[in-house]
PDB file of all heavy atoms in Angstrom:
ATOM      1  N   GLY A  17     183.953  83.628 131.144  1.00 83.00           N
ATOM      2  CA  GLY A  17     183.491  84.353 132.321  1.00 83.00           C
ATOM      3  C   GLY A  17     183.312  83.469 133.540  1.00 83.00           C
ATOM      4  O   GLY A  17     182.401  83.677 134.349  1.00 83.00           O
ATOM      5  N   GLU A  18     184.170  82.457 133.688  1.00 85.00           N
ATOM      6  CA  GLU A  18     184.051  81.541 134.820  1.00 85.00           C
ATOM      7  C   GLU A  18     184.359  82.261 136.138  1.00 85.00           C
ATOM      8  O   GLU A  18     185.106  83.241 136.171  1.00 85.00           O
ATOM      9  CB  GLU A  18     184.998  80.348 134.646  1.00 85.00           C
ATOM     10  CG  GLU A  18     184.588  79.409 133.525  1.00 85.00           C
ATOM     11  CD  GLU A  18     185.440  78.159 133.481  1.00 85.00           C
ATOM     12  OE1 GLU A  18     186.167  77.881 134.463  1.00 85.00           O
ATOM     13  OE2 GLU A  18     185.381  77.444 132.458  1.00 85.00           O
ATOM     14  N   VAL A  19     183.781  81.736 137.215  1.00 86.00           N
ATOM     15  CA  VAL A  19     184.012  82.316 138.544  1.00 86.00           C
ATOM     16  C   VAL A  19     184.753  81.302 139.406  1.00 86.00           C
ATOM     17  O   VAL A  19     184.867  80.119 139.060  1.00 86.00           O
ATOM     18  CB  VAL A  19     182.686  82.714 139.227  1.00 86.00           C
ATOM     19  CG1 VAL A  19     181.968  83.774 138.423  1.00 86.00           C
ATOM     20  CG2 VAL A  19     181.787  81.499 139.418  1.00 86.00           C
ATOM     21  N   LEU A  20     185.224  81.767 140.542  1.00 92.00           N
ATOM     22  CA  LEU A  20     185.951  80.918 141.484  1.00 92.00           C
ATOM     23  C   LEU A  20     185.074  79.735 141.905  1.00 92.00           C
ATOM     24  O   LEU A  20     183.920  79.912 142.284  1.00 92.00           O
ATOM     25  CB  LEU A  20     186.341  81.768 142.699  1.00 92.00           C
ATOM     26  CG  LEU A  20     187.347  81.185 143.692  1.00 92.00           C
ATOM     27  CD1 LEU A  20     188.706  81.022 143.035  1.00 92.00           C
ATOM     28  CD2 LEU A  20     187.461  82.103 144.900  1.00 92.00           C
ATOM     29  N   ARG A  21     185.618  78.541 141.813  1.00 92.00           N
ATOM     30  CA  ARG A  21     184.848  77.328 142.095  1.00 92.00           C
ATOM     31  C   ARG A  21     184.234  77.347 143.495  1.00 92.00           C
ATOM     32  O   ARG A  21     183.058  76.995 143.675  1.00 92.00           O
ATOM     33  CB  ARG A  21     185.746  76.096 141.960  1.00 92.00           C
ATOM     34  CG  ARG A  21     185.004  74.777 142.151  1.00 92.00           C
ATOM     35  CD  ARG A  21     185.909  73.604 141.852  1.00 92.00           C
ATOM     36  NE  ARG A  21     187.014  73.539 142.793  1.00 92.00           N
ATOM     37  CZ  ARG A  21     188.184  72.949 142.535  1.00 92.00           C
ATOM     38  NH1 ARG A  21     188.403  72.441 141.347  1.00 92.00           N
ATOM     39  NH2 ARG A  21     189.121  72.908 143.441  1.00 92.00           N
ATOM     40  N   GLU A  22     185.007  77.769 144.495  1.00 94.00           N
ATOM     41  CA  GLU A  22     184.500  77.790 145.862  1.00 94.00           C
ATOM     42  C   GLU A  22     183.373  78.803 146.042  1.00 94.00           C
ATOM     43  O   GLU A  22     182.443  78.575 146.824  1.00 94.00           O
ATOM     44  CB  GLU A  22     185.634  78.074 146.841  1.00 94.00           C
ATOM     45  CG  GLU A  22     186.632  76.950 147.015  1.00 94.00           C
ATOM     46  CD  GLU A  22     187.665  76.851 145.911  1.00 94.00           C
ATOM     47  OE1 GLU A  22     187.650  77.728 145.010  1.00 94.00           O
ATOM     48  OE2 GLU A  22     188.495  75.927 145.943  1.00 94.00           O
ATOM     49  N   VAL A  23     183.444  79.919 145.319  1.00 94.00           N
ATOM     50  CA  VAL A  23     182.367  80.915 145.363  1.00 94.00           C
ATOM     51  C   VAL A  23     181.104  80.317 144.757  1.00 94.00           C
ATOM     52  O   VAL A  23     179.993  80.483 145.289  1.00 94.00           O
ATOM     53  CB  VAL A  23     182.781  82.207 144.622  1.00 94.00           C
ATOM     54  CG1 VAL A  23     181.566  83.113 144.405  1.00 94.00           C
ATOM     55  CG2 VAL A  23     183.847  82.951 145.411  1.00 94.00           C
ATOM     56  N   LYS A  24     181.269  79.621 143.635  1.00 93.00           N
ATOM     57  CA  LYS A  24     180.120  78.992 142.980  1.00 93.00           C
ATOM     58  C   LYS A  24     179.482  77.945 143.892  1.00 93.00           C
ATOM     59  O   LYS A  24     178.243  77.859 143.992  1.00 93.00           O
ATOM     60  CB  LYS A  24     180.562  78.360 141.660  1.00 93.00           C
ATOM     61  CG  LYS A  24     179.427  77.749 140.857  1.00 93.00           C
ATOM     62  CD  LYS A  24     179.862  77.420 139.447  1.00 93.00           C
ATOM     63  CE  LYS A  24     180.938  76.373 139.422  1.00 93.00           C
ATOM     64  NZ  LYS A  24     181.283  75.971 138.022  1.00 93.00           N
ATOM     65  N   ASP A  25     180.313  77.149 144.581  1.00 95.00           N
ATOM     66  CA  ASP A  25     179.794  76.110 145.476  1.00 95.00           C
ATOM     67  C   ASP A  25     178.998  76.713 146.627  1.00 95.00           C
ATOM     68  O   ASP A  25     177.915  76.225 146.976  1.00 95.00           O
ATOM     69  CB  ASP A  25     180.954  75.279 146.036  1.00 95.00           C
ATOM     70  CG  ASP A  25     181.596  74.383 144.978  1.00 95.00           C
ATOM     71  OD1 ASP A  25     180.965  74.166 143.921  1.00 95.00           O
ATOM     72  OD2 ASP A  25     182.725  73.907 145.211  1.00 95.00           O
ATOM     73  N   VAL A  26     179.544  77.775 147.225  1.00 96.00           N
ATOM     74  CA  VAL A  26     178.860  78.425 148.347  1.00 96.00           C
ATOM     75  C   VAL A  26     177.570  79.086 147.878  1.00 96.00           C
ATOM     76  O   VAL A  26     176.527  79.000 148.544  1.00 96.00           O
ATOM     77  CB  VAL A  26     179.789  79.449 149.033  1.00 96.00           C
ATOM     78  CG1 VAL A  26     179.009  80.328 150.004  1.00 96.00           C
ATOM     79  CG2 VAL A  26     180.915  78.742 149.779  1.00 96.00           C
ATOM     80  N   ASN A  27     177.634  79.751 146.736  1.00 95.00           N
ATOM     81  CA  ASN A  27     176.430  80.395 146.186  1.00 95.00           C
ATOM     82  C   ASN A  27     175.329  79.372 145.903  1.00 95.00           C
ATOM     83  O   ASN A  27     174.141  79.615 146.190  1.00 95.00           O
ATOM     84  CB  ASN A  27     176.761  81.153 144.901  1.00 95.00           C
ATOM     85  CG  ASN A  27     177.407  82.504 145.153  1.00 95.00           C
ATOM     86  OD1 ASN A  27     177.348  83.024 146.265  1.00 95.00           O
ATOM     87  ND2 ASN A  27     178.015  83.070 144.135  1.00 95.00           N
ATOM     88  N   ASN A  28     175.693  78.228 145.345  1.00 96.00           N
ATOM     89  CA  ASN A  28     174.709  77.182 145.046  1.00 96.00           C
ATOM     90  C   ASN A  28     174.087  76.627 146.320  1.00 96.00           C
ATOM     91  O   ASN A  28     172.866  76.390 146.382  1.00 96.00           O
ATOM     92  CB  ASN A  28     175.360  76.045 144.246  1.00 96.00           C
ATOM     93  CG  ASN A  28     175.684  76.443 142.819  1.00 96.00           C
ATOM     94  OD1 ASN A  28     175.134  77.413 142.299  1.00 96.00           O
ATOM     95  ND2 ASN A  28     176.578  75.710 142.177  1.00 96.00           N
ATOM     96  N   ALA A  29     174.939  76.420 147.341  1.00 96.00           N
ATOM     97  CA  ALA A  29     174.434  75.902 148.620  1.00 96.00           C
ATOM     98  C   ALA A  29     173.502  76.919 149.275  1.00 96.00           C
ATOM     99  O   ALA A  29     172.464  76.549 149.852  1.00 96.00           O
ATOM    100  CB  ALA A  29     175.600  75.567 149.545  1.00 96.00           C
ATOM    101  N   ALA A  30     173.860  78.196 149.199  1.00 96.00           N
ATOM    102  CA  ALA A  30     173.020  79.255 149.778  1.00 96.00           C
ATOM    103  C   ALA A  30     171.686  79.352 149.045  1.00 96.00           C
ATOM    104  O   ALA A  30     170.626  79.523 149.656  1.00 96.00           O
ATOM    105  CB  ALA A  30     173.756  80.591 149.728  1.00 96.00           C
ATOM    106  N   ALA A  31     171.737  79.222 147.720  1.00 95.00           N
ATOM    107  CA  ALA A  31     170.515  79.287 146.913  1.00 95.00           C
ATOM    108  C   ALA A  31     169.592  78.116 147.238  1.00 95.00           C
ATOM    109  O   ALA A  31     168.359  78.271 147.304  1.00 95.00           O
ATOM    110  CB  ALA A  31     170.873  79.289 145.431  1.00 95.00           C
ATOM    111  N   SER A  32     170.176  76.936 147.447  1.00 95.00           N
ATOM    112  CA  SER A  32     169.371  75.756 147.790  1.00 95.00           C
ATOM    113  C   SER A  32     168.686  75.932 149.137  1.00 95.00           C
ATOM    114  O   SER A  32     167.510  75.572 149.299  1.00 95.00           O
ATOM    115  CB  SER A  32     170.260  74.507 147.821  1.00 95.00           C
ATOM    116  OG  SER A  32     170.776  74.218 146.542  1.00 95.00           O
ATOM    117  N   LEU A  33     169.419  76.484 150.102  1.00 95.00           N
ATOM    118  CA  LEU A  33     168.842  76.719 151.424  1.00 95.00           C
ATOM    119  C   LEU A  33     167.724  77.757 151.354  1.00 95.00           C
ATOM    120  O   LEU A  33     166.647  77.573 151.944  1.00 95.00           O
ATOM    121  CB  LEU A  33     169.931  77.181 152.399  1.00 95.00           C
ATOM    122  CG  LEU A  33     169.473  77.547 153.821  1.00 95.00           C
ATOM    123  CD1 LEU A  33     168.731  76.385 154.474  1.00 95.00           C
ATOM    124  CD2 LEU A  33     170.669  77.966 154.678  1.00 95.00           C
ATOM    125  N   ALA A  34     167.949  78.841 150.632  1.00 94.00           N
ATOM    126  CA  ALA A  34     166.936  79.884 150.495  1.00 94.00           C
ATOM    127  C   ALA A  34     165.688  79.334 149.810  1.00 94.00           C
ATOM    128  O   ALA A  34     164.556  79.654 150.194  1.00 94.00           O
ATOM    129  CB  ALA A  34     167.506  81.053 149.701  1.00 94.00           C
ATOM    130  N   SER A  35     165.878  78.495 148.798  1.00 94.00           N
ATOM    131  CA  SER A  35     164.754  77.908 148.071  1.00 94.00           C
ATOM    132  C   SER A  35     163.942  76.988 148.974  1.00 94.00           C
ATOM    133  O   SER A  35     162.694  77.003 148.942  1.00 94.00           O
ATOM    134  CB  SER A  35     165.279  77.130 146.863  1.00 94.00           C
ATOM    135  OG  SER A  35     164.233  76.480 146.190  1.00 94.00           O
ATOM    136  N   ALA A  36     164.647  76.193 149.787  1.00 92.00           N
ATOM    137  CA  ALA A  36     163.963  75.269 150.696  1.00 92.00           C
ATOM    138  C   ALA A  36     163.121  76.023 151.716  1.00 92.00           C
ATOM    139  O   ALA A  36     161.978  75.651 152.004  1.00 92.00           O
ATOM    140  CB  ALA A  36     164.988  74.380 151.397  1.00 92.00           C
ATOM    141  N   MET A  37     163.685  77.086 152.266  1.00 91.00           N
ATOM    142  CA  MET A  37     162.955  77.867 153.267  1.00 91.00           C
ATOM    143  C   MET A  37     161.778  78.606 152.643  1.00 91.00           C
ATOM    144  O   MET A  37     160.702  78.709 153.243  1.00 91.00           O
ATOM    145  CB  MET A  37     163.907  78.866 153.950  1.00 91.00           C
ATOM    146  CG  MET A  37     164.874  78.213 154.926  1.00 91.00           C
ATOM    147  SD  MET A  37     165.786  79.420 155.913  1.00 91.00           S
ATOM    148  CE  MET A  37     166.765  80.215 154.651  1.00 91.00           C
ATOM    149  N   ALA A  38     161.969  79.142 151.449  1.00 91.00           N
ATOM    150  CA  ALA A  38     160.905  79.906 150.791  1.00 91.00           C
ATOM    151  C   ALA A  38     159.712  79.017 150.433  1.00 91.00           C
ATOM    152  O   ALA A  38     158.561  79.475 150.444  1.00 91.00           O
ATOM    153  CB  ALA A  38     161.455  80.566 149.533  1.00 91.00           C
ATOM    154  N   SER A  39     159.975  77.740 150.129  1.00 90.00           N
ATOM    155  CA  SER A  39     158.897  76.818 149.746  1.00 90.00           C
ATOM    156  C   SER A  39     158.314  76.077 150.932  1.00 90.00           C
ATOM    157  O   SER A  39     157.385  75.268 150.760  1.00 90.00           O
ATOM    158  CB  SER A  39     159.414  75.816 148.714  1.00 90.00           C
ATOM    159  OG  SER A  39     160.462  75.036 149.270  1.00 90.00           O
ATOM    160  N   GLY A  40     158.878  76.324 152.118  1.00 85.00           N
ATOM    161  CA  GLY A  40     158.369  75.675 153.326  1.00 85.00           C
ATOM    162  C   GLY A  40     158.838  74.250 153.491  1.00 85.00           C
ATOM    163  O   GLY A  40     158.348  73.519 154.365  1.00 85.00           O
ATOM    164  N   GLU A  41     159.789  73.815 152.687  1.00 84.00           N
ATOM    165  CA  GLU A  41     160.323  72.457 152.802  1.00 84.00           C
ATOM    166  C   GLU A  41     161.312  72.367 153.962  1.00 84.00           C
ATOM    167  O   GLU A  41     161.756  73.376 154.505  1.00 84.00           O
ATOM    168  CB  GLU A  41     161.030  72.063 151.495  1.00 84.00           C
ATOM    169  CG  GLU A  41     160.138  72.067 150.271  1.00 84.00           C
ATOM    170  CD  GLU A  41     160.910  71.796 148.991  1.00 84.00           C
ATOM    171  OE1 GLU A  41     162.137  71.574 149.096  1.00 84.00           O
ATOM    172  OE2 GLU A  41     160.305  71.817 147.913  1.00 84.00           O
ATOM    173  N   SER A  42     161.669  71.147 154.326  1.00 82.00           N
ATOM    174  CA  SER A  42     162.678  70.944 155.371  1.00 82.00           C
ATOM    175  C   SER A  42     164.008  71.516 154.879  1.00 82.00           C
ATOM    176  O   SER A  42     164.451  71.208 153.762  1.00 82.00           O
ATOM    177  CB  SER A  42     162.838  69.455 155.675  1.00 82.00           C
ATOM    178  OG  SER A  42     163.921  69.262 156.561  1.00 82.00           O
ATOM    179  N   SER A  43     164.624  72.343 155.700  1.00 87.00           N
ATOM    180  CA  SER A  43     165.862  73.021 155.291  1.00 87.00           C
ATOM    181  C   SER A  43     167.098  72.507 156.027  1.00 87.00           C
ATOM    182  O   SER A  43     168.188  73.041 155.851  1.00 87.00           O
ATOM    183  CB  SER A  43     165.727  74.525 155.527  1.00 87.00           C
ATOM    184  OG  SER A  43     165.460  74.783 156.895  1.00 87.00           O
ATOM    185  N   SER A  44     166.927  71.477 156.842  1.00 91.00           N
ATOM    186  CA  SER A  44     168.050  71.010 157.669  1.00 91.00           C
ATOM    187  C   SER A  44     169.215  70.487 156.830  1.00 91.00           C
ATOM    188  O   SER A  44     170.379  70.795 157.101  1.00 91.00           O
ATOM    189  CB  SER A  44     167.575  69.929 158.645  1.00 91.00           C
ATOM    190  OG  SER A  44     166.971  68.856 157.937  1.00 91.00           O
ATOM    191  N   ASP A  45     168.902  69.693 155.806  1.00 94.00           N
ATOM    192  CA  ASP A  45     169.976  69.151 154.950  1.00 94.00           C
ATOM    193  C   ASP A  45     170.688  70.268 154.190  1.00 94.00           C
ATOM    194  O   ASP A  45     171.930  70.279 154.092  1.00 94.00           O
ATOM    195  CB  ASP A  45     169.410  68.140 153.952  1.00 94.00           C
ATOM    196  CG  ASP A  45     168.997  66.844 154.614  1.00 94.00           C
ATOM    197  OD1 ASP A  45     169.409  66.618 155.772  1.00 94.00           O
ATOM    198  OD2 ASP A  45     168.258  66.059 153.978  1.00 94.00           O
ATOM    199  N   ALA A  46     169.919  71.216 153.668  1.00 94.00           N
ATOM    200  CA  ALA A  46     170.510  72.334 152.923  1.00 94.00           C
ATOM    201  C   ALA A  46     171.361  73.212 153.842  1.00 94.00           C
ATOM    202  O   ALA A  46     172.416  73.711 153.430  1.00 94.00           O
ATOM    203  CB  ALA A  46     169.398  73.165 152.277  1.00 94.00           C
ATOM    204  N   ALA A  47     170.907  73.376 155.093  1.00 94.00           N
ATOM    205  CA  ALA A  47     171.664  74.185 156.054  1.00 94.00           C
ATOM    206  C   ALA A  47     172.991  73.515 156.396  1.00 94.00           C
ATOM    207  O   ALA A  47     174.027  74.174 156.495  1.00 94.00           O
ATOM    208  CB  ALA A  47     170.847  74.401 157.321  1.00 94.00           C
ATOM    209  N   ARG A  48     172.951  72.183 156.566  1.00 95.00           N
ATOM    210  CA  ARG A  48     174.189  71.446 156.868  1.00 95.00           C
ATOM    211  C   ARG A  48     175.161  71.519 155.698  1.00 95.00           C
ATOM    212  O   ARG A  48     176.381  71.630 155.891  1.00 95.00           O
ATOM    213  CB  ARG A  48     173.873  69.989 157.211  1.00 95.00           C
ATOM    214  CG  ARG A  48     173.412  69.790 158.635  1.00 95.00           C
ATOM    215  CD  ARG A  48     173.455  68.320 159.017  1.00 95.00           C
ATOM    216  NE  ARG A  48     172.489  67.543 158.253  1.00 95.00           N
ATOM    217  CZ  ARG A  48     171.232  67.321 158.631  1.00 95.00           C
ATOM    218  NH1 ARG A  48     170.792  67.833 159.773  1.00 95.00           N
ATOM    219  NH2 ARG A  48     170.420  66.590 157.887  1.00 95.00           N
ATOM    220  N   GLU A  49     174.624  71.455 154.468  1.00 96.00           N
ATOM    221  CA  GLU A  49     175.485  71.529 153.286  1.00 96.00           C
ATOM    222  C   GLU A  49     176.153  72.900 153.182  1.00 96.00           C
ATOM    223  O   GLU A  49     177.344  72.998 152.876  1.00 96.00           O
ATOM    224  CB  GLU A  49     174.671  71.239 152.020  1.00 96.00           C
ATOM    225  CG  GLU A  49     175.439  71.377 150.710  1.00 96.00           C
ATOM    226  CD  GLU A  49     176.598  70.410 150.571  1.00 96.00           C
ATOM    227  OE1 GLU A  49     176.693  69.448 151.374  1.00 96.00           O
ATOM    228  OE2 GLU A  49     177.425  70.613 149.660  1.00 96.00           O
ATOM    229  N   LEU A  50     175.382  73.949 153.449  1.00 96.00           N
ATOM    230  CA  LEU A  50     175.963  75.290 153.409  1.00 96.00           C
ATOM    231  C   LEU A  50     177.015  75.446 154.503  1.00 96.00           C
ATOM    232  O   LEU A  50     178.084  76.031 154.265  1.00 96.00           O
ATOM    233  CB  LEU A  50     174.873  76.354 153.581  1.00 96.00           C
ATOM    234  CG  LEU A  50     175.370  77.814 153.638  1.00 96.00           C
ATOM    235  CD1 LEU A  50     176.170  78.175 152.382  1.00 96.00           C
ATOM    236  CD2 LEU A  50     174.194  78.777 153.807  1.00 96.00           C
ATOM    237  N   GLU A  51     176.746  74.913 155.663  1.00 96.00           N
ATOM    238  CA  GLU A  51     177.711  74.989 156.767  1.00 96.00           C
ATOM    239  C   GLU A  51     179.009  74.281 156.404  1.00 96.00           C
ATOM    240  O   GLU A  51     180.108  74.765 156.687  1.00 96.00           O
ATOM    241  CB  GLU A  51     177.110  74.370 158.025  1.00 96.00           C
ATOM    242  CG  GLU A  51     177.987  74.518 159.265  1.00 96.00           C
ATOM    243  CD  GLU A  51     177.314  73.985 160.519  1.00 96.00           C
ATOM    244  OE1 GLU A  51     176.297  73.259 160.388  1.00 96.00           O
ATOM    245  OE2 GLU A  51     177.798  74.282 161.622  1.00 96.00           O
ATOM    246  N   ARG A  52     178.868  73.124 155.740  1.00 96.00           N
ATOM    247  CA  ARG A  52     180.053  72.376 155.319  1.00 96.00           C
ATOM    248  C   ARG A  52     180.846  73.158 154.268  1.00 96.00           C
ATOM    249  O   ARG A  52     182.083  73.258 154.358  1.00 96.00           O
ATOM    250  CB  ARG A  52     179.623  71.017 154.740  1.00 96.00           C
ATOM    251  CG  ARG A  52     180.788  70.107 154.372  1.00 96.00           C
ATOM    252  CD  ARG A  52     180.304  68.825 153.727  1.00 96.00           C
ATOM    253  NE  ARG A  52     179.802  69.053 152.376  1.00 96.00           N
ATOM    254  CZ  ARG A  52     180.602  69.145 151.300  1.00 96.00           C
ATOM    255  NH1 ARG A  52     181.919  69.060 151.432  1.00 96.00           N
ATOM    256  NH2 ARG A  52     180.072  69.333 150.112  1.00 96.00           N
ATOM    257  N   ARG A  53     180.136  73.715 153.300  1.00 96.00           N
ATOM    258  CA  ARG A  53     180.789  74.497 152.250  1.00 96.00           C
ATOM    259  C   ARG A  53     181.503  75.720 152.843  1.00 96.00           C
ATOM    260  O   ARG A  53     182.612  76.074 152.428  1.00 96.00           O
ATOM    261  CB  ARG A  53     179.761  74.954 151.219  1.00 96.00           C
ATOM    262  CG  ARG A  53     179.139  73.840 150.396  1.00 96.00           C
ATOM    263  CD  ARG A  53     180.103  73.287 149.382  1.00 96.00           C
ATOM    264  NE  ARG A  53     179.465  72.324 148.509  1.00 96.00           N
ATOM    265  CZ  ARG A  53     180.118  71.611 147.579  1.00 96.00           C
ATOM    266  NH1 ARG A  53     181.415  71.782 147.428  1.00 96.00           N
ATOM    267  NH2 ARG A  53     179.476  70.747 146.822  1.00 96.00           N
ATOM    268  N   LEU A  54     180.855  76.358 153.793  1.00 96.00           N
ATOM    269  CA  LEU A  54     181.459  77.544 154.429  1.00 96.00           C
ATOM    270  C   LEU A  54     182.708  77.178 155.213  1.00 96.00           C
ATOM    271  O   LEU A  54     183.664  77.962 155.287  1.00 96.00           O
ATOM    272  CB  LEU A  54     180.451  78.233 155.345  1.00 96.00           C
ATOM    273  CG  LEU A  54     179.327  79.008 154.660  1.00 96.00           C
ATOM    274  CD1 LEU A  54     178.361  79.576 155.701  1.00 96.00           C
ATOM    275  CD2 LEU A  54     179.889  80.134 153.802  1.00 96.00           C
ATOM    276  N   GLY A  55     182.709  75.983 155.818  1.00 96.00           N
ATOM    277  CA  GLY A  55     183.889  75.533 156.555  1.00 96.00           C
ATOM    278  C   GLY A  55     185.093  75.371 155.639  1.00 96.00           C
ATOM    279  O   GLY A  55     186.208  75.805 155.960  1.00 96.00           O
ATOM    280  N   VAL A  56     184.860  74.751 154.473  1.00 95.00           N
ATOM    281  CA  VAL A  56     185.924  74.588 153.472  1.00 95.00           C
ATOM    282  C   VAL A  56     186.372  75.953 152.958  1.00 95.00           C
ATOM    283  O   VAL A  56     187.571  76.225 152.824  1.00 95.00           O
ATOM    284  CB  VAL A  56     185.421  73.709 152.302  1.00 95.00           C
ATOM    285  CG1 VAL A  56     186.463  73.667 151.190  1.00 95.00           C
ATOM    286  CG2 VAL A  56     185.088  72.312 152.788  1.00 95.00           C
TER     287      VAL A  56
END
């Protein structure tokens, strides 16, 4: 039941950003990572 690698990468980056924001942590690094993944 594997999924598309790029979908998994974007989903993981989005989850990391959401987790950072929900916990009140700095989200700048996670946001940049998601932006990079979305560009690819």
Side-chain angles (χ1 to χ4, degrees):
E18 291 187 14
V19 298
L20 192 66
R21 184 174 64 204
E22 289 80 4
V23 168
K24 183 167 64 175
D25 289 343
V26 168
N27 281 344
N28 289 341
S32 295
L33 177 56
S35 176
M37 286 190 294
S39 62
E41 300 175 2
S42 173
S43 59
S44 57
D45 288 345
R48 279 194 294 270
E49 176 62 13
L50 177 57
E51 185 176 14
R52 185 184 72 82
R53 293 287 186 185
L54 287 177
V56 174

